[in-house]
Amino acid sequence: MDNYPTAAVERDGNIAMGRRQSLTKITPTGDTIWRTVAPNRYANRSWDARAIVEDAQGSLLLVGDSELQTGGAGGSSNQIHLVRFTGAGRLVSDTMLFRAGDNYARSALLAPNGRGLVFSGYTTAGPRGGSDLLLGLYDGFRPLAAAPASATAAPLQAYPNPVSGPAARATVALPAATAGGRLVLHDGLGRYLGAQPVAPGARQATVELAGRPPGLYLLRYEQADGRRYLVRLLRE
């Protein structure tokens, strides 16, 4: 295995760059936005990135080569590795796919269902006993909800943000002359957590995050006239 970076351009124009056990997000001019080093779950293996794709929720799916130290006469074997990060760099899942022989990943695409991963590469243990090309579909990532906000959602204001303390309560400033609607809360992976109604003409609303774990939350205001507004809330 080598340790050269693998890069992919995201929809927002920033660049995701994978390397040995890490993922870095940079701007087009090379400024670092964040860097995540994935913990080595097992002392006898490490992975390198080979391809990176972005799903509809902005998560980054990485396929790579995982060098597994097996001991004995063989010493080690190479296996295909799959990792999912959120768009903010948090590690969500870390999976090694084991198959007899040495297996190497080289490219990846989103599956038609939008959440699975189609990957290609090669194996030293083909069906006839020699090297062969490899094509696989991994659908083991937990299904994610539809993206909670469209690209045209207007910004929404909330304060305080971040929220903290036992109450963990945020006040949301609603658009003037609102037609009413509902506030919908999702977690950082896009999973639906609940909704609360908003009366016509209301100027503000209160959102409770008490009892929820620290992390990023997405709050969307679905106005009755079809307009959408979005704010990201950080729970400390």
Side-chain angles (χ1 to χ4, degrees), residues 60-126:
L60 297 168
L61 311 182
L62 180 149
V63 62
D65 293 337
S66 187
E67 186 177 43
L68 179 66
Q69 300 295 326
T70 58
S76 67
S77 70
N78 198 85
Q79 302 297 330
I80 291 175
H81 204 86
L82 303 173
V83 189
R84 180 194 285 270
F85 294 89
T86 66
R90 183 170 65 86
L91 180 68
V92 177
S93 60
D94 183 354
T95 304
M96 185 184 74
L97 303 181
F98 183 82
R99 184 178 183 274
D102 289 318
N103 305 282
Y104 300 86
R106 287 297 177 264
S107 65
L109 294 170
L110 279 181
N113 62 16
R115 64 176 186 268
L117 194 65
V118 177
F119 58 90
S120 67
Y122 65 95
T123 176
T124 61

Short mmCIF file of all heavy atoms in Angstrom, two decimals, residues 60-126:
data_model
loop_
_atom_site.label_atom_id
_atom_site.label_comp_id
_atom_site.label_asym_id
_atom_site.label_seq_id
_atom_site.Cartn_x
_atom_site.Cartn_y
_atom_site.Cartn_z
N LEU A 60 -19.72 11.66 2.97
CA LEU A 60 -18.61 11.25 2.11
C LEU A 60 -18.36 9.76 2.31
O LEU A 60 -18.11 9.32 3.43
CB LEU A 60 -17.36 12.06 2.46
CG LEU A 60 -17.50 13.57 2.20
CD1 LEU A 60 -16.35 14.33 2.83
CD2 LEU A 60 -17.58 13.86 0.71
N LEU A 61 -18.47 9.00 1.23
CA LEU A 61 -18.25 7.56 1.26
C LEU A 61 -16.89 7.27 0.64
O LEU A 61 -16.61 7.68 -0.48
CB LEU A 61 -19.35 6.83 0.47
CG LEU A 61 -20.79 7.24 0.78
CD1 LEU A 61 -21.76 6.41 -0.05
CD2 LEU A 61 -21.09 7.11 2.25
N LEU A 62 -16.09 6.57 1.37
CA LEU A 62 -14.71 6.31 0.96
C LEU A 62 -14.50 4.81 0.78
O LEU A 62 -14.94 4.02 1.62
CB LEU A 62 -13.77 6.86 2.02
CG LEU A 62 -12.27 6.73 1.81
CD1 LEU A 62 -11.56 7.91 2.47
CD2 LEU A 62 -11.75 5.43 2.44
N VAL A 63 -13.88 4.42 -0.32
CA VAL A 63 -13.48 3.03 -0.52
C VAL A 63 -11.96 3.01 -0.59
O VAL A 63 -11.33 3.90 -1.16
CB VAL A 63 -14.13 2.42 -1.78
CG1 VAL A 63 -13.69 3.15 -3.04
CG2 VAL A 63 -13.80 0.94 -1.90
N GLY A 64 -11.37 1.99 0.03
CA GLY A 64 -9.92 1.95 0.06
C GLY A 64 -9.39 0.55 0.26
O GLY A 64 -10.13 -0.43 0.20
N ASP A 65 -8.09 0.46 0.48
CA ASP A 65 -7.41 -0.81 0.71
C ASP A 65 -7.07 -0.92 2.19
O ASP A 65 -6.52 0.01 2.78
CB ASP A 65 -6.12 -0.89 -0.11
CG ASP A 65 -6.39 -0.95 -1.60
OD1 ASP A 65 -7.51 -1.36 -1.98
OD2 ASP A 65 -5.51 -0.57 -2.38
N SER A 66 -7.38 -2.04 2.77
CA SER A 66 -7.14 -2.28 4.19
C SER A 66 -6.11 -3.39 4.33
O SER A 66 -6.34 -4.52 3.91
CB SER A 66 -8.45 -2.68 4.88
OG SER A 66 -8.28 -2.76 6.27
N GLU A 67 -4.96 -3.04 4.88
CA GLU A 67 -3.89 -4.02 5.06
C GLU A 67 -4.09 -4.72 6.40
O GLU A 67 -3.97 -4.10 7.46
CB GLU A 67 -2.53 -3.35 5.00
CG GLU A 67 -1.37 -4.33 5.04
CD GLU A 67 -0.04 -3.61 4.92
OE1 GLU A 67 0.13 -2.57 5.57
OE2 GLU A 67 0.83 -4.09 4.19
N LEU A 68 -4.41 -5.99 6.35
CA LEU A 68 -4.69 -6.76 7.56
C LEU A 68 -3.48 -7.63 7.89
O LEU A 68 -3.09 -8.50 7.12
CB LEU A 68 -5.93 -7.64 7.35
CG LEU A 68 -6.33 -8.54 8.51
CD1 LEU A 68 -6.79 -7.71 9.70
CD2 LEU A 68 -7.44 -9.50 8.07
N GLN A 69 -2.89 -7.39 9.05
CA GLN A 69 -1.76 -8.19 9.51
C GLN A 69 -2.30 -9.49 10.09
O GLN A 69 -2.96 -9.50 11.12
CB GLN A 69 -0.95 -7.42 10.57
CG GLN A 69 -0.37 -6.11 10.07
CD GLN A 69 0.66 -6.32 8.98
OE1 GLN A 69 1.40 -7.30 8.97
NE2 GLN A 69 0.72 -5.38 8.04
N THR A 70 -2.02 -10.59 9.39
CA THR A 70 -2.59 -11.88 9.79
C THR A 70 -1.62 -12.74 10.58
O THR A 70 -2.03 -13.72 11.20
CB THR A 70 -3.05 -12.65 8.55
OG1 THR A 70 -1.93 -12.82 7.67
CG2 THR A 70 -4.14 -11.89 7.82
N GLY A 71 -0.33 -12.44 10.51
CA GLY A 71 0.65 -13.27 11.18
C GLY A 71 0.87 -14.57 10.42
O GLY A 71 0.33 -14.79 9.34
N GLY A 72 1.66 -15.45 10.95
CA GLY A 72 1.92 -16.73 10.29
C GLY A 72 2.78 -16.54 9.05
O GLY A 72 3.42 -15.51 8.85
N ALA A 73 2.75 -17.53 8.15
CA ALA A 73 3.61 -17.51 6.98
C ALA A 73 3.23 -16.41 6.01
O ALA A 73 4.07 -15.81 5.35
CB ALA A 73 3.54 -18.86 6.28
N GLY A 74 1.91 -16.11 5.90
CA GLY A 74 1.45 -15.10 4.94
C GLY A 74 1.81 -13.69 5.35
O GLY A 74 2.06 -12.84 4.50
N GLY A 75 1.82 -13.41 6.65
CA GLY A 75 2.17 -12.09 7.14
C GLY A 75 1.02 -11.09 7.10
O GLY A 75 0.67 -10.51 8.11
N SER A 76 0.43 -10.87 5.93
CA SER A 76 -0.66 -9.90 5.82
C SER A 76 -1.47 -10.19 4.56
O SER A 76 -1.02 -10.90 3.65
CB SER A 76 -0.11 -8.48 5.77
OG SER A 76 0.63 -8.28 4.57
N SER A 77 -2.66 -9.65 4.52
CA SER A 77 -3.48 -9.70 3.32
C SER A 77 -4.11 -8.34 3.12
O SER A 77 -4.23 -7.55 4.05
CB SER A 77 -4.57 -10.78 3.43
OG SER A 77 -5.55 -10.40 4.37
N ASN A 78 -4.50 -8.05 1.88
CA ASN A 78 -5.12 -6.78 1.57
C ASN A 78 -6.61 -6.98 1.33
O ASN A 78 -7.00 -7.87 0.57
CB ASN A 78 -4.49 -6.15 0.33
CG ASN A 78 -4.78 -4.67 0.24
OD1 ASN A 78 -4.08 -3.86 0.83
ND2 ASN A 78 -5.83 -4.31 -0.48
N GLN A 79 -7.44 -6.17 1.99
CA GLN A 79 -8.88 -6.28 1.85
C GLN A 79 -9.48 -4.92 1.52
O GLN A 79 -8.84 -3.88 1.68
CB GLN A 79 -9.49 -6.83 3.15
CG GLN A 79 -8.96 -8.18 3.59
CD GLN A 79 -9.26 -9.28 2.58
OE1 GLN A 79 -10.25 -9.24 1.85
NE2 GLN A 79 -8.38 -10.29 2.52
N ILE A 80 -10.72 -4.92 1.06
CA ILE A 80 -11.41 -3.68 0.69
C ILE A 80 -12.03 -3.06 1.93
O ILE A 80 -12.61 -3.74 2.77
CB ILE A 80 -12.45 -3.96 -0.40
CG1 ILE A 80 -11.71 -4.31 -1.70
CG2 ILE A 80 -13.37 -2.77 -0.61
CD1 ILE A 80 -12.60 -4.74 -2.83
N HIS A 81 -11.90 -1.75 2.02
CA HIS A 81 -12.34 -1.03 3.20
C HIS A 81 -13.35 0.04 2.80
O HIS A 81 -13.16 0.75 1.81
CB HIS A 81 -11.14 -0.37 3.88
CG HIS A 81 -11.36 -0.11 5.32
ND1 HIS A 81 -11.12 -1.04 6.30
CD2 HIS A 81 -11.83 0.98 5.96
CE1 HIS A 81 -11.41 -0.54 7.48
NE2 HIS A 81 -11.86 0.69 7.29
N LEU A 82 -14.42 0.19 3.58
CA LEU A 82 -15.47 1.17 3.32
C LEU A 82 -15.67 2.03 4.57
O LEU A 82 -15.82 1.51 5.67
CB LEU A 82 -16.79 0.48 2.97
CG LEU A 82 -16.74 -0.48 1.78
CD1 LEU A 82 -18.05 -1.22 1.65
CD2 LEU A 82 -16.45 0.28 0.50
N VAL A 83 -15.67 3.34 4.37
CA VAL A 83 -15.82 4.28 5.49
C VAL A 83 -16.83 5.34 5.09
O VAL A 83 -16.83 5.81 3.95
CB VAL A 83 -14.47 4.95 5.85
CG1 VAL A 83 -14.60 5.74 7.14
CG2 VAL A 83 -13.36 3.92 5.98
N ARG A 84 -17.69 5.73 6.02
CA ARG A 84 -18.62 6.84 5.79
C ARG A 84 -18.34 7.95 6.80
O ARG A 84 -18.24 7.70 8.00
CB ARG A 84 -20.07 6.40 5.93
CG ARG A 84 -21.07 7.54 5.69
CD ARG A 84 -22.48 7.18 6.17
NE ARG A 84 -23.14 6.27 5.30
CZ ARG A 84 -23.92 6.62 4.27
NH1 ARG A 84 -24.06 7.88 3.98
NH2 ARG A 84 -24.52 5.71 3.53
N PHE A 85 -18.19 9.19 6.28
CA PHE A 85 -18.06 10.38 7.11
C PHE A 85 -19.24 11.30 6.83
O PHE A 85 -19.75 11.33 5.71
CB PHE A 85 -16.77 11.16 6.78
CG PHE A 85 -15.50 10.43 7.10
CD1 PHE A 85 -14.91 9.60 6.18
CD2 PHE A 85 -14.88 10.62 8.32
CE1 PHE A 85 -13.72 8.94 6.45
CE2 PHE A 85 -13.68 9.97 8.61
CZ PHE A 85 -13.10 9.13 7.68
N THR A 86 -19.66 12.08 7.82
CA THR A 86 -20.62 13.14 7.56
C THR A 86 -19.91 14.26 6.80
O THR A 86 -18.68 14.31 6.74
CB THR A 86 -21.21 13.72 8.85
OG1 THR A 86 -20.16 14.39 9.58
CG2 THR A 86 -21.80 12.62 9.72
N GLY A 87 -20.70 15.19 6.27
CA GLY A 87 -20.10 16.33 5.57
C GLY A 87 -19.29 17.23 6.47
O GLY A 87 -18.52 18.05 5.99
N ALA A 88 -19.49 17.07 7.80
CA ALA A 88 -18.71 17.86 8.76
C ALA A 88 -17.49 17.10 9.27
O ALA A 88 -16.78 17.58 10.14
CB ALA A 88 -19.59 18.27 9.93
N GLY A 89 -17.27 15.88 8.74
CA GLY A 89 -16.06 15.14 9.08
C GLY A 89 -16.19 14.14 10.20
O GLY A 89 -15.19 13.56 10.62
N ARG A 90 -17.41 13.88 10.69
CA ARG A 90 -17.56 12.90 11.76
C ARG A 90 -17.64 11.49 11.18
O ARG A 90 -18.37 11.24 10.23
CB ARG A 90 -18.83 13.18 12.58
CG ARG A 90 -19.01 12.25 13.78
CD ARG A 90 -20.13 12.75 14.68
NE ARG A 90 -21.42 12.71 14.02
CZ ARG A 90 -22.21 11.65 13.97
NH1 ARG A 90 -21.83 10.51 14.55
NH2 ARG A 90 -23.38 11.70 13.37
N LEU A 91 -16.86 10.57 11.75
CA LEU A 91 -16.87 9.19 11.30
C LEU A 91 -18.18 8.53 11.70
O LEU A 91 -18.57 8.55 12.87
CB LEU A 91 -15.68 8.44 11.93
CG LEU A 91 -15.54 6.96 11.57
CD1 LEU A 91 -15.19 6.81 10.10
CD2 LEU A 91 -14.48 6.31 12.44
N VAL A 92 -18.88 7.93 10.72
CA VAL A 92 -20.17 7.29 10.99
C VAL A 92 -20.04 5.77 11.00
O VAL A 92 -20.54 5.11 11.89
CB VAL A 92 -21.21 7.72 9.94
CG1 VAL A 92 -22.54 7.00 10.16
CG2 VAL A 92 -21.41 9.22 9.97
N SER A 93 -19.37 5.21 10.01
CA SER A 93 -19.19 3.76 9.97
C SER A 93 -17.85 3.41 9.35
O SER A 93 -17.30 4.16 8.55
CB SER A 93 -20.33 3.08 9.19
OG SER A 93 -20.38 3.55 7.87
N ASP A 94 -17.34 2.26 9.73
CA ASP A 94 -15.99 1.83 9.38
C ASP A 94 -16.05 0.31 9.18
O ASP A 94 -16.24 -0.43 10.14
CB ASP A 94 -15.06 2.22 10.53
CG ASP A 94 -13.60 1.89 10.26
OD1 ASP A 94 -13.31 1.26 9.24
OD2 ASP A 94 -12.77 2.27 11.10
N THR A 95 -15.92 -0.15 7.94
CA THR A 95 -16.18 -1.56 7.62
C THR A 95 -15.07 -2.13 6.75
O THR A 95 -14.68 -1.51 5.76
CB THR A 95 -17.52 -1.71 6.86
OG1 THR A 95 -18.56 -1.13 7.65
CG2 THR A 95 -17.84 -3.16 6.59
N MET A 96 -14.59 -3.29 7.09
CA MET A 96 -13.67 -4.02 6.23
C MET A 96 -14.42 -5.21 5.63
O MET A 96 -15.05 -5.98 6.36
CB MET A 96 -12.45 -4.51 7.00
CG MET A 96 -11.40 -5.17 6.10
SD MET A 96 -9.99 -5.84 7.01
CE MET A 96 -10.74 -7.30 7.74
N LEU A 97 -14.35 -5.37 4.31
CA LEU A 97 -14.96 -6.51 3.64
C LEU A 97 -13.90 -7.57 3.43
O LEU A 97 -12.91 -7.33 2.73
CB LEU A 97 -15.56 -6.08 2.29
CG LEU A 97 -16.60 -4.95 2.34
CD1 LEU A 97 -17.11 -4.65 0.94
CD2 LEU A 97 -17.75 -5.32 3.27
N PHE A 98 -14.07 -8.72 4.05
CA PHE A 98 -13.06 -9.76 3.95
C PHE A 98 -13.46 -10.79 2.91
O PHE A 98 -14.59 -11.27 2.86
CB PHE A 98 -12.86 -10.46 5.30
CG PHE A 98 -11.78 -11.50 5.27
CD1 PHE A 98 -10.45 -11.12 5.40
CD2 PHE A 98 -12.07 -12.83 5.06
CE1 PHE A 98 -9.43 -12.06 5.35
CE2 PHE A 98 -11.07 -13.78 5.01
CZ PHE A 98 -9.74 -13.40 5.15
N ARG A 99 -12.49 -11.14 2.06
CA ARG A 99 -12.66 -12.17 1.04
C ARG A 99 -11.31 -12.87 0.88
O ARG A 99 -10.27 -12.24 0.99
CB ARG A 99 -13.09 -11.52 -0.29
CG ARG A 99 -13.40 -12.49 -1.43
CD ARG A 99 -13.86 -11.70 -2.64
NE ARG A 99 -14.22 -12.56 -3.75
CZ ARG A 99 -13.36 -13.03 -4.65
NH1 ARG A 99 -12.07 -12.71 -4.55
NH2 ARG A 99 -13.76 -13.80 -5.63
N ALA A 100 -11.34 -14.16 0.65
CA ALA A 100 -10.08 -14.91 0.54
C ALA A 100 -9.17 -14.30 -0.51
O ALA A 100 -9.61 -13.83 -1.56
CB ALA A 100 -10.39 -16.37 0.19
N GLY A 101 -7.88 -14.31 -0.25
CA GLY A 101 -6.90 -13.73 -1.16
C GLY A 101 -6.69 -12.26 -0.89
O GLY A 101 -7.17 -11.70 0.11
N ASP A 102 -5.95 -11.60 -1.79
CA ASP A 102 -5.74 -10.16 -1.70
C ASP A 102 -6.72 -9.46 -2.62
O ASP A 102 -6.86 -9.82 -3.80
CB ASP A 102 -4.30 -9.80 -2.10
CG ASP A 102 -3.30 -10.24 -1.05
OD1 ASP A 102 -3.58 -10.06 0.15
OD2 ASP A 102 -2.24 -10.78 -1.43
N ASN A 103 -7.38 -8.42 -2.10
CA ASN A 103 -8.41 -7.71 -2.85
C ASN A 103 -8.13 -6.21 -2.78
O ASN A 103 -7.86 -5.67 -1.70
CB ASN A 103 -9.79 -8.01 -2.27
CG ASN A 103 -10.05 -9.51 -2.22
OD1 ASN A 103 -10.38 -10.13 -3.21
ND2 ASN A 103 -9.91 -10.10 -1.02
N TYR A 104 -8.19 -5.53 -3.92
CA TYR A 104 -7.80 -4.14 -4.01
C TYR A 104 -8.92 -3.32 -4.65
O TYR A 104 -9.44 -3.69 -5.71
CB TYR A 104 -6.53 -3.99 -4.84
CG TYR A 104 -5.34 -4.73 -4.28
CD1 TYR A 104 -5.13 -6.07 -4.61
CD2 TYR A 104 -4.44 -4.10 -3.43
CE1 TYR A 104 -4.04 -6.76 -4.09
CE2 TYR A 104 -3.36 -4.78 -2.92
CZ TYR A 104 -3.16 -6.11 -3.25
OH TYR A 104 -2.08 -6.80 -2.74
N ALA A 105 -9.29 -2.21 -4.01
CA ALA A 105 -10.31 -1.30 -4.55
C ALA A 105 -9.65 -0.22 -5.39
O ALA A 105 -8.54 0.22 -5.08
CB ALA A 105 -11.10 -0.67 -3.41
N ARG A 106 -10.36 0.23 -6.43
CA ARG A 106 -9.80 1.28 -7.29
C ARG A 106 -10.79 2.38 -7.64
O ARG A 106 -10.39 3.47 -8.00
CB ARG A 106 -9.22 0.65 -8.57
CG ARG A 106 -7.92 -0.11 -8.34
CD ARG A 106 -6.85 0.81 -7.84
NE ARG A 106 -5.59 0.15 -7.54
CZ ARG A 106 -5.22 -0.25 -6.34
NH1 ARG A 106 -6.05 -0.09 -5.32
NH2 ARG A 106 -4.05 -0.82 -6.14
N SER A 107 -12.10 2.14 -7.62
CA SER A 107 -13.05 3.19 -7.97
C SER A 107 -14.37 2.93 -7.25
O SER A 107 -14.62 1.83 -6.75
CB SER A 107 -13.28 3.24 -9.48
OG SER A 107 -13.90 2.06 -9.93
N ALA A 108 -15.22 3.96 -7.19
CA ALA A 108 -16.51 3.83 -6.50
C ALA A 108 -17.53 4.78 -7.11
O ALA A 108 -17.19 5.87 -7.58
CB ALA A 108 -16.34 4.13 -5.01
N LEU A 109 -18.80 4.35 -7.09
CA LEU A 109 -19.93 5.17 -7.53
C LEU A 109 -21.08 4.92 -6.56
O LEU A 109 -21.18 3.87 -5.94
CB LEU A 109 -20.38 4.78 -8.94
CG LEU A 109 -19.42 5.06 -10.10
CD1 LEU A 109 -19.95 4.38 -11.36
CD2 LEU A 109 -19.28 6.56 -10.32
N LEU A 110 -21.99 5.90 -6.46
CA LEU A 110 -23.20 5.66 -5.69
C LEU A 110 -24.08 4.65 -6.41
O LEU A 110 -24.21 4.69 -7.63
CB LEU A 110 -23.98 6.97 -5.51
CG LEU A 110 -23.53 7.93 -4.41
CD1 LEU A 110 -24.46 9.13 -4.39
CD2 LEU A 110 -23.49 7.26 -3.05
N ALA A 111 -24.71 3.77 -5.63
CA ALA A 111 -25.66 2.83 -6.21
C ALA A 111 -26.93 3.57 -6.61
O ALA A 111 -27.18 4.69 -6.14
CB ALA A 111 -25.98 1.73 -5.20
N PRO A 112 -27.75 2.98 -7.49
CA PRO A 112 -28.98 3.66 -7.92
C PRO A 112 -29.91 4.04 -6.78
O PRO A 112 -30.67 4.99 -6.89
CB PRO A 112 -29.63 2.63 -8.85
CG PRO A 112 -28.48 1.84 -9.39
CD PRO A 112 -27.51 1.75 -8.25
N ASN A 113 -29.86 3.29 -5.65
CA ASN A 113 -30.74 3.63 -4.53
C ASN A 113 -30.26 4.85 -3.75
O ASN A 113 -30.91 5.31 -2.82
CB ASN A 113 -30.91 2.44 -3.59
CG ASN A 113 -29.61 1.99 -2.95
OD1 ASN A 113 -28.61 2.71 -2.95
ND2 ASN A 113 -29.60 0.79 -2.39
N GLY A 114 -29.08 5.39 -4.12
CA GLY A 114 -28.58 6.61 -3.50
C GLY A 114 -27.85 6.43 -2.20
O GLY A 114 -27.30 7.37 -1.66
N ARG A 115 -27.83 5.21 -1.63
CA ARG A 115 -27.16 5.03 -0.34
C ARG A 115 -26.10 3.93 -0.39
O ARG A 115 -25.16 3.94 0.37
CB ARG A 115 -28.17 4.73 0.76
CG ARG A 115 -28.92 3.42 0.58
CD ARG A 115 -29.83 3.13 1.76
NE ARG A 115 -30.44 1.82 1.66
CZ ARG A 115 -31.61 1.58 1.11
NH1 ARG A 115 -32.30 2.58 0.60
NH2 ARG A 115 -32.10 0.36 1.05
N GLY A 116 -26.28 2.92 -1.26
CA GLY A 116 -25.29 1.87 -1.40
C GLY A 116 -24.09 2.35 -2.21
O GLY A 116 -24.09 3.43 -2.79
N LEU A 117 -23.07 1.53 -2.25
CA LEU A 117 -21.83 1.90 -2.92
C LEU A 117 -21.42 0.80 -3.88
O LEU A 117 -21.29 -0.36 -3.50
CB LEU A 117 -20.73 2.12 -1.87
CG LEU A 117 -19.46 2.82 -2.33
CD1 LEU A 117 -19.76 4.25 -2.76
CD2 LEU A 117 -18.43 2.83 -1.22
N VAL A 118 -21.25 1.17 -5.15
CA VAL A 118 -20.73 0.25 -6.15
C VAL A 118 -19.23 0.50 -6.25
O VAL A 118 -18.80 1.64 -6.44
CB VAL A 118 -21.39 0.47 -7.52
CG1 VAL A 118 -20.78 -0.45 -8.57
CG2 VAL A 118 -22.90 0.24 -7.43
N PHE A 119 -18.43 -0.54 -6.12
CA PHE A 119 -16.98 -0.36 -6.17
C PHE A 119 -16.37 -1.39 -7.11
O PHE A 119 -16.93 -2.46 -7.35
CB PHE A 119 -16.36 -0.48 -4.77
CG PHE A 119 -16.63 -1.78 -4.08
CD1 PHE A 119 -15.78 -2.87 -4.23
CD2 PHE A 119 -17.75 -1.94 -3.27
CE1 PHE A 119 -16.03 -4.07 -3.60
CE2 PHE A 119 -18.01 -3.12 -2.62
CZ PHE A 119 -17.15 -4.20 -2.79
N SER A 120 -15.21 -1.04 -7.64
CA SER A 120 -14.50 -1.95 -8.54
C SER A 120 -13.05 -2.04 -8.10
O SER A 120 -12.55 -1.23 -7.34
CB SER A 120 -14.58 -1.46 -9.99
OG SER A 120 -13.88 -0.24 -10.13
N GLY A 121 -12.37 -3.06 -8.59
CA GLY A 121 -10.97 -3.28 -8.27
C GLY A 121 -10.51 -4.59 -8.86
O GLY A 121 -10.99 -5.01 -9.92
N TYR A 122 -9.62 -5.26 -8.17
CA TYR A 122 -9.17 -6.56 -8.64
C TYR A 122 -8.82 -7.45 -7.45
O TYR A 122 -8.62 -6.98 -6.33
CB TYR A 122 -7.98 -6.43 -9.59
CG TYR A 122 -6.72 -5.87 -8.97
CD1 TYR A 122 -5.72 -6.71 -8.49
CD2 TYR A 122 -6.51 -4.49 -8.89
CE1 TYR A 122 -4.56 -6.20 -7.93
CE2 TYR A 122 -5.35 -3.97 -8.34
CZ TYR A 122 -4.38 -4.83 -7.86
OH TYR A 122 -3.24 -4.32 -7.31
N THR A 123 -8.77 -8.75 -7.71
CA THR A 123 -8.50 -9.73 -6.68
C THR A 123 -7.46 -10.72 -7.17
O THR A 123 -7.35 -10.97 -8.37
CB THR A 123 -9.78 -10.49 -6.28
OG1 THR A 123 -9.46 -11.51 -5.35
CG2 THR A 123 -10.47 -11.10 -7.49
N THR A 124 -6.67 -11.24 -6.26
CA THR A 124 -5.68 -12.26 -6.63
C THR A 124 -6.27 -13.66 -6.57
O THR A 124 -5.59 -14.63 -6.88
CB THR A 124 -4.47 -12.19 -5.68
OG1 THR A 124 -4.90 -12.44 -4.34
CG2 THR A 124 -3.80 -10.83 -5.76
N ALA A 125 -7.53 -13.76 -6.12
CA ALA A 125 -8.17 -15.07 -5.98
C ALA A 125 -9.46 -15.10 -6.80
O ALA A 125 -10.56 -15.09 -6.26
CB ALA A 125 -8.45 -15.38 -4.52
N GLY A 126 -9.30 -15.09 -8.13
CA GLY A 126 -10.45 -15.15 -9.01
C GLY A 126 -11.10 -16.52 -9.02
O GLY A 126 -10.58 -17.48 -8.43
#
